[in-house]
Amino acid sequence: MVQTQAYGSWPSPLDAALAAAHDGQPEYVGFVGDEAWWTEPRPAEGGRRALVRRRPDGAEESVLPAPWNVRSRVIEYGGRPWAGAERPEGPLLVFVNFADQRLYAYEPAAPERDPRPLTPVSGIGGGLRWADPQLHPDRGEVWCVLEEFTGDGPSDVRRVIAAVPLDGSAADDRGAVRELTDSAQRAHRFVTGARLSPDGRRAAWIAWDHPRMPWDGTDLLLAEVADDGTFGPARTVAGGTEESVCQVEWAPDGALLFSSDRGGWWNLYRMEIAVGPAPGAIPGTPARPALLSTTRGLCPREEEFGGPLWKIGLSWFKPLAAGLIAVVHGVGATSLGILDPATGEVVDAAGPWTAWAASLAVHGTRVVGVAASPRTGHEVVELDTSTGRTRVIGAAHTDPVDPAYYPEPQIRTFDGPDGRDIHAHIYPPHSPTHAAPDDELPPYVVWAHGGPTGHAPLVLDLEIAYFTSRGIGVAEVNYGGSTGYGREYRNRLREQWGVVDVEDCAAVALALADEGTADRGRLAIRGGSAGGWTSAASLTSTDVYACGTVIYPILDLTGWAEGETHDFESRYLETLIGPLADVPARYAERSPSEHADRLTAPFLLLQGLDDVICPPVQCERFLARMESEGRRVPHAYLTFEGEGHGFRRADTMIRALEAELSLYAQVFGLHPTGVPVLELTK
C-alpha cells in the first residue's frame, strides 16, 4: 500500500554507501588474444583502477593485486593506460601505475614475478608520464605518448611520441627512450598516440596547440616510417583551426579512417593515400615525394560519430578485419552500430543501452564496448557481428535495491532565451511505496555537468536515484556548449561561459516550476568542476535557487588563467571567455569570487585537497572574499585529503552525498531519516 508522506522524507533503501559502491564505470576495453580486458573502479580500495580480464569460462579476474593502480595522469585527465599482447608463453601486459606514473611490463602467466619497470623516474616537476601505449613486440618496443616536465610549473612540459624498449634498458636511463617525432613536430603542444599502418610504412596521429582545445581544432598528421623505426617529416592531411579530428585509425586495406566535424558533426571519413613524384622540385635539392590522397565521407549524417578528446586514446570507432566499421553514434543518446563503408548503411546492435562510451575494441567478428541505460549502470558488452547477438560479458549490472526505486527519466527539450533549444533529462521523484500529498509540489535540483564541453548521458546513476527515491527531483541540463548535438550547439558557449550555461539551467528550472512540475521556492543547483562554476555563477547572478552544491569548482577566472590550473586547460578560457589581455573586465565580471556580496543562498562547497585542475585556493579565495564582504550566508566547506579532481574513494563519496542531502533538508524543510546533519556556518 502506498503511503502519503511529504517530498524529501520518503524512506529509501538506497543509501549513500550503495551509491558510492557503484560509482564509476569500466574503461579502456581491449583484447589480449581472445580475451577481453578492461579497467574498472574500486572505490572501497582507495579508489584505485583495477585491470580485469574475462577468462574463457566467463570468470572475471583482476590481473594485478592492490595497490597496483592502472591509471595515467597525462594531461591530468589521463588516457589509455595499458596494452597487451598474446604470446605462446602467455600474455605480455604493459601498463601505467598511478602512484609513480612509470610504465611497467608484467607477465600474468608468471605471477611470482613482480611487474618490472620500463621507464625511469624524473624528479623534475610532474616527472615523466605515459599514455596510449601501442605494443610492437616485433620491434621490441612499446610506442606511447610521453609527457615530460621540464620545470616545476604546470606549463613547463613537453609532449612527444616515444618508443620505450621492452627489455627494460630504459628503466633507469632516460636516454634509452627513443623519441619518434622530430624537432619540427615537437612544436605541437599536444599529441595522441601514433597508429602504425598495416604495412608498417606510415604512422598517423593527432596534434594541436594552445589556445585550441581538441574539440576546437586539431591536425591529423602522417609520416613515413623508415626501416629503423624513425619517423620522416610529418604532413598535415586533415584538420585545422576550425576542424576537430578526434580519432584516427587504419583500415585493413591501408586506407586512413578518421572522425572529423568539418561538416558540423563528427562524421567518419576515408582517405586513400598514395605517394607520387614531387612537382617542381628545385635542382640540387632532395625531392620530397608528393602526397596524393582522396577523401570521402562514409556516412554523412547530422549525428555524432565522435566526441570531445578529454583523454588520450578514446575510441568512437574501430575497423573490423572484414572491412566493416564498428561505430558509436547518435544525437544525445548513442548506439553501437556496424557501418558498411561501401554503402554508408549503419545497422545498430540490439539491446536496451542508451549510452555507449568512447571505448571500443575489436577482434575477428567481435566488438566489445562499455554501455549503460536508464535501468542499468555501465557494463562491458560484446556484439558478435557474425550473429548479431549482444551480451554482457563483464562488470554486469546488479540491482543493489529493488529497481522499482529507480527514477523514470524524461527526455525533454525546453525553450531558452532567444528561442534556443535546451536539452535536458528530467528525473521526477519516484518511490514504489510512498507518494506526496496532492497539494504539494516537489523540490528539484538542477545538475550542471562538467566540462563544460561535455554531456550528461541518459543512464542509471545511483546518486540521482538517491535523491529521487526520497522525493527530490533532478533535472540534468545539457546546456548550450554541450557535446552530442553538433558543432553549432557546442559553439554556443564561445565567449559566453557563465552566461549561456547559467541562463539555460535557469530556464529549465523555471519552466519546471511554471508547468507545475517543481516547487518554485524549493529549487537548487549542483555541479562539479565546470558544473561547479555554473552552480556558483548561478548563485551569485540569479535568484532562481534556494541553495546550491558546488563541487571542486572554478571560481576565479583570472587566477585560473594566470597559472592556477594544469597545462591542458590553461588557455581554455580564451575560447570560453575571451583572451584575458583583451577582456580583463569580463573575467572579473563573471567570476563568482568577485561577487560574494551578491550571495544570499546557503551552499555546500566540496573540494579535494590534491586537485591540481581546480585547486583548493579557488575555494579559499572565494570564502575569504565572502568573509571580507561581511556576508553571513549559511554554508559548509568540506575538504578531502588524497582526493583530486573527481572523488574516487568510497568514504569521500558517502560523506559528500549525505552532506548534500542534509543541505537540501535544512533549506527546504525536509525530514529524511538516517542522514547526519551537516553543520552550516553562519
Side-chain angles (χ1 to χ4, degrees):
M1 183 175 179
V2 176
Q3 300 181 40
T4 300
Q5 199 164 328
Y7 285 116
S9 61
W10 301 343
S12 172
L14 212 167
D15 60 16
L18 281 178
H22 292 78
D23 189 78
Q25 66 185 69
E27 286 185 300
Y28 304 117
V29 297
F31 280 98
V32 180
D34 292 331
E35 291 183 359
W37 294 29
W38 61 89
T39 69
E40 63 181 44
R42 294 283 190 270
E45 297 177 22
R48 80 178 183 104
R49 298 288 303 190
L51 183 63
V52 177
R53 65 192 293 187
R54 186 181 193 273
R55 291 289 197 174
D57 62 1
E60 294 175 33
E61 176 184 296
S62 182
V63 179
L64 294 157
W68 293 104
N69 187 352
V70 184
R71 181 178 156 214
S72 169
R73 282 189 62 186
V74 166
I75 67 169
E76 294 303 342
Y77 290 110
R80 186 174 183 86
W82 74 275
E86 186 60 83
R87 306 172 302 167
E89 63 271 33
L92 171 65
L93 166 67
V94 174
F95 70 96
V96 179
N97 182 48
F98 180 74
D100 56 13
Q101 287 299 289
R102 297 176 85 181
L103 201 62
Y104 287 81
Y106 180 58
E107 300 173 16
E112 70 279 0
R113 303 177 194 164
D114 289 335
R116 54 185 176 86
L118 297 179
T119 56
V121 173
S122 169
I124 301 174
L128 300 173
R129 300 174 178 178
W130 312 85
D132 202 11
Q134 302 291 311
L135 267 171
H136 297 288
D138 54 328
R139 299 174 181 266
E141 296 176 328
V142 55
W143 292 3
C144 306
V145 172
L146 162 60
E147 182 176 76
E148 181 174 25
F149 282 80
T150 58
D152 293 331
S155 294
D156 297 330
V157 63
R158 59 191 293 267
R159 299 175 187 88
V160 295
I161 300 170
V164 177
L166 290 170
D167 62 9
S169 57
D172 297 304
D173 181 9
R174 169 64 180 83
V177 175
R178 186 168 65 91
E179 296 189 10
L180 297 174
T181 44
D182 65 21
S183 57
Q185 293 152 7
R186 289 182 192 133
H188 288 292
R189 190 74 172 186
F190 303 94
V191 294
T192 65
R195 300 296 186 261
L196 189 63
S197 63
D199 61 7
R201 295 172 52 195
R202 297 186 179 97
W205 67 97
I206 297 167
W208 68 97
D209 298 290
H210 286 318
R212 287 180 287 166
M213 297 300 285
W215 41 86
D216 297 324
T218 58
D219 297 324
L220 174 54
L221 301 178
L222 185 68
E224 303 293 320
V225 180
D227 292 341
D228 63 359
T230 58
F231 285 14
R235 312 170 193 246
T236 299
V237 296
T241 58
E242 292 293 328
E243 178 186 349
S244 169
V245 176
C246 63
Q247 186 186 346
V248 60
E249 303 286 347
W250 293 95
D253 63 1
L256 202 59
L257 305 173
F258 61 96
S259 178
S260 164
D261 71 349
R262 60 178 58 176
W265 299 78
W266 275 301
N267 279 192
L268 287 188
Y269 296 85
R270 175 185 169 93
M271 180 181 292
E272 308 283 351
I273 299 170
V275 175
I282 301 174
T285 62
R288 186 184 185 194
L291 187 70
L292 308 176
S293 65
T294 57
T295 302
R296 66 181 178 91
L298 296 182
C299 183
R301 292 187 183 183
E302 291 190 348
E303 292 185 23
E304 304 285 32
F305 289 74
L309 200 61
W310 279 103
K311 300 179 180 181
I312 305 298
L314 299 180
S315 56
W316 291 267
F317 71 91
K318 284 290 183 181
L320 290 139
L324 302 175
I325 306 171
V327 294
V328 171
H329 71 105
V331 179
T334 51
S335 302
L336 172 64
I338 301 299
L339 167 64
D340 183 342
T343 65
E345 181 184 8
V346 178
V347 178
D348 287 338
W353 304 284
T354 54
W356 287 80
S359 183
L360 292 180
V362 297
H363 177 65
T365 62
R366 298 161 62 195
V367 180
V368 169
V370 176
S373 78
R375 308 298 289 178
T376 58
H378 288 87
E379 308 171 293
V380 180
V381 180
E382 179 185 86
L383 165 66
D384 188 333
T385 59
S386 65
T387 64
R389 180 191 176 200
T390 54
R391 59 174 181 152
V392 176
I393 64 166
H397 171 81
T398 56
D399 292 313
V401 298
D402 184 342
Y405 284 93
Y406 299 161
E408 297 288 346
Q410 304 168 1
I411 302 174
R412 298 278 304 272
T413 301
F414 294 86
D415 293 328
D418 302 320
R420 63 178 182 254
D421 53 340
I422 306 167
H423 302 289
H425 304 145
I426 307 303
Y427 296 85
H430 177 75
S431 170
T433 59
H434 287 74
D438 292 338
D439 60 351
E440 184 185 2
L441 291 175
Y444 257 80
V445 183
V446 171
W447 283 32
H449 64 70
T453 309
H455 181 82
L458 185 66
V459 300
L460 175 64
D461 185 334
L462 293 188
E463 285 196 3
I464 291 177
Y466 177 78
F467 293 105
T468 58
S469 63
R470 287 170 168 77
I472 301 172
V474 171
E476 280 188 314
V477 182
N478 281 313
Y479 47 80
S482 300
T483 56
Y485 307 99
R487 186 169 185 123
E488 182 180 350
Y489 194 87
R490 199 164 76 239
N491 283 349
R492 286 184 186 177
L493 215 55
R494 285 196 169 188
E495 299 195 1
Q496 296 298 311
W497 197 36
V499 178
V500 166
D501 51 322
V502 170
E503 289 178 347
D504 286 2
C505 287
V508 171
L510 293 175
L512 293 175
D514 290 344
E515 71 186 25
T517 298
D519 185 341
R520 174 65 182 87
R522 296 192 293 177
L523 298 173
I525 188 166
R526 70 99 82 167
S529 189
W533 153 271
T534 300
S535 299
S538 297
L539 294 176
T540 55
S541 65
T542 78
D543 61 357
V544 173
Y545 308 101
C547 62
T549 301
V550 181
I551 310 170
Y552 37 84
I554 301 164
L555 297 169
D556 175 12
L557 293 175
T558 303
W560 208 72
E562 291 183 337
E564 287 181 358
T565 190
H566 61 145
D567 183 59
F568 176 58
E569 293 180 273
S570 61
R571 305 280 295 278
Y572 195 6
L573 297 184
E574 293 191 26
T575 302
L576 295 174
I577 305 294
L580 177 60
D582 296 342
V583 290
R586 190 183 296 168
Y587 279 64
E589 175 57 32
R590 294 193 193 164
S591 293
S593 62
E594 296 291 329
H595 301 295
D597 59 315
R598 301 177 184 173
L599 193 62
T600 59
F603 65 93
L604 168 64
L605 198 54
L606 303 170
Q607 178 67 50
L609 293 179
D610 292 348
D611 194 339
V612 297
I613 296 172
C614 296
V617 67
Q618 290 267 316
C619 292
E620 294 160 5
R621 187 178 300 128
F622 176 75
L623 294 172
R625 188 68 58 86
M626 190 176 75
E627 183 176 347
S628 70
E629 295 285 348
R631 303 300 297 173
R632 298 194 175 278
V633 178
H635 69 278
Y637 178 42
L638 304 184
T639 60
F640 302 95
E641 292 185 2
E643 292 282 15
H645 199 67
F647 299 152
R648 291 176 171 82
R649 300 181 176 183
D651 55 346
T652 299
M653 291 185 280
I654 292 169
R655 175 72 175 118
L657 202 55
E658 291 181 338
E660 185 178 353
L661 178 57
S662 180
L663 171 71
Y664 304 148
Q666 294 180 57
V667 174
F668 295 156
L670 314 178
H671 302 285
T673 58
V675 178
V677 175
L678 173 69
E679 183 177 346
L680 297 175
T681 301
K682 299 181 180 179

